[in-house]
Amino acid sequence: MALTGKVIESTGKWYKVEANGEVTSCRLPGRFRLNSAEVTNPVTVGDRVDISIGDDQTGIITHIHDRDNFLPRQATHGRRGEQILAANIDRAWAVVSVRQPALKTGFLDRFLVACEAYGIPASILINKTDLASKRDWKQLEALRELYSGLGYPVHVASIHNSESIEELKTALDGHTNVFIGPSGVGKTSLLNCLKPGADLTVGDISGYSNKGKHTTTVARLLRIGDAGYIVDTPGIRELGLVNIEPYELSLYYPEMLKPRENCKFNNCTHSHEPGCGVSAAFEAGEIHPERYFSYLNILESL
């Protein structure tokens, strides 16, 4: 029997596909992996696929439909190529925490560059606000002003603040969302609040490094509310950018689009060249220092 469905969970070897209200565990034939040698996971959560169900009630993926979009990162653990985090997304959310672990804007900027490069609307979710001090709140307000001014919605949340959870539910409803963030920022605890009864395992923070320990080990699609979905991804320590050339990077910084038109050289990297419109805008205070220096850090990594 052949069906068309959506991949709702991926372990790397087996895929759970929801079709016609039923969930089937499916395998992926080797030919798909051979055809996608530069991608560590040819099928990912959110993909639309055709499956054939055998007598043992397990399935085989026979066709992968074209994607509306996808969000990749550089493969980890020494593997070559790229890893697809999720596909067919309406909005991607960078989930960070005020403390435990501390908020790092470097991760946010890499995430936003990836979303801009692959045409995915992006939002920022700052979690664990119950841990915030007065000084933290001042920094959060400055951060909200900066990123909101660039067109990225910024939400704050705490599992101990029901109003913030309800506001988040409203923002998620009706869309397919993906949560991406470092381990320990509280994605799983948020999901348990957003989807009562999910009973997802919550991890601890390492006392040695003050970083989160991985508890989510597979990517999965969860239904939230009446018509919303969240792709929950394993915590990531690093978001390696792929398929972005150094001279292209400024295209994915909204505040640099206009100033770069004034650059003397077409392939200007805005780091050292004479007659650079972006450097001039930074010197004039038109580009925030944190964003410009994060740009230089990412540029060096490319």
Side-chain angles (χ1 to χ4, degrees):
M1 179 172 59
L3 296 169
T4 298
K6 179 182 288 189
V7 178
I8 62 170
E9 188 173 301
S10 167
T11 65
K13 293 183 178 180
W14 284 88
Y15 303 87
K16 289 185 179 179
V17 178
E18 185 178 50
N20 293 348
E22 300 289 334
V23 177
T24 303
S25 293
C26 299
R27 291 179 289 110
L28 182 70
R31 70 176 186 274
F32 288 105
R33 299 186 184 278
L34 291 173
N35 292 336
S36 304
E38 294 302 315
V39 178
T40 62
N41 55 333
V43 174
T44 192
V45 170
D47 269 329
R48 295 182 291 267
V49 297
D50 294 342
I51 63 173
S52 177
I53 302 178
D55 295 336
D56 61 355
Q57 298 306 303
T58 64
I60 295 176
I61 295 173
T62 59
H63 177 69
I64 306 168
H65 290 247
D66 290 341
R67 294 165 174 153
D68 296 332
N69 58 36
F70 63 95
L71 187 62
R73 72 160 172 169
Q74 194 172 48
T76 57
H77 306 299
R79 292 175 294 180
R80 298 178 64 181
E82 61 189 66
Q83 175 191 12
I84 308 299
L85 296 172
N88 302 315
I89 309 156
D90 295 325
R91 182 164 291 276
W93 295 74
V95 185
V96 294
S97 55
V98 176
R99 292 175 178 267
Q100 300 180 12
L103 192 160
K104 294 184 178 180
T105 57
F107 169 81
L108 288 180
D109 291 331
R110 282 182 171 270
F111 168 85
L112 295 173
V113 165
C115 290
E116 291 284 352
Y118 286 87
I120 300 171
S123 290
I124 296 170
L125 175 57
I126 304 172
N127 194 27
K128 298 187 180 181
T129 53
D130 54 291
L131 301 179
S133 65
K134 288 184 178 180
R135 181 179 179 181
D136 290 330
W137 275 111
K138 287 184 179 180
Q139 293 174 336
L140 291 183
E141 288 304 318
L143 186 145
R144 190 205 293 261
E145 182 179 355
L146 170 60
Y147 287 101
S148 295
L150 296 172
Y152 303 115
V154 179
H155 295 254
V156 295
S158 165
I159 61 172
H160 304 293
N161 184 326
S162 59
E163 184 178 347
S164 71
I165 298 299
E166 290 304 314
E167 289 176 355
L168 183 56
K169 280 184 182 178
T170 300
L172 297 169
D173 197 27
H175 306 290
T176 297
N177 308 270
V178 60
F179 275 8
I180 296 174
S183 297
V185 296
K187 298 193 305 294
T188 303
S189 295
L190 281 173
L191 290 169
N192 281 329
C193 286
L194 293 166
K195 188 177 177 65
D199 295 327
L200 304 175
T201 303
V202 178
D204 299 320
I205 299 296
S206 167
Y208 173 73
S209 65
N210 200 32
K211 294 180 179 179
K213 301 176 182 178
H214 293 286
T215 51
T216 301
T217 57
V218 298
R220 57 199 161 192
L221 183 68
L222 302 172
R223 183 158 190 161
I224 304 294
D226 295 330
Y229 293 89
I230 297 177
V231 178
D232 180 27
T233 60
I236 59 178
R237 297 191 187 281
E238 186 176 333
L239 185 60
L241 301 174
V242 294
N243 301 323
I244 296 176
E245 297 295 334
Y247 67 87
E248 296 175 322
L249 180 60
S250 62
L251 291 170
Y252 310 124
Y253 274 71
E255 65 270 48
M256 295 185 183
L257 290 177
K258 192 67 176 176
R260 73 191 301 275
E261 294 177 2
N262 299 321
C263 290
K264 182 177 179 180
F265 302 105
N266 291 333
N267 61 347
C268 184
T269 63
H270 324 301
S271 59
H272 64 278
E273 297 89 345
C276 173
V278 172
S279 297
F282 165 66
E283 295 292 343
E286 298 168 7
I287 295 175
H288 196 284
E290 282 193 22
R291 286 280 287 177
Y292 182 68
F293 292 128
S294 90
Y295 165 83
L296 293 179
N297 285 334
I298 295 174
L299 181 68
E300 184 178 0
S301 74
L302 295 180

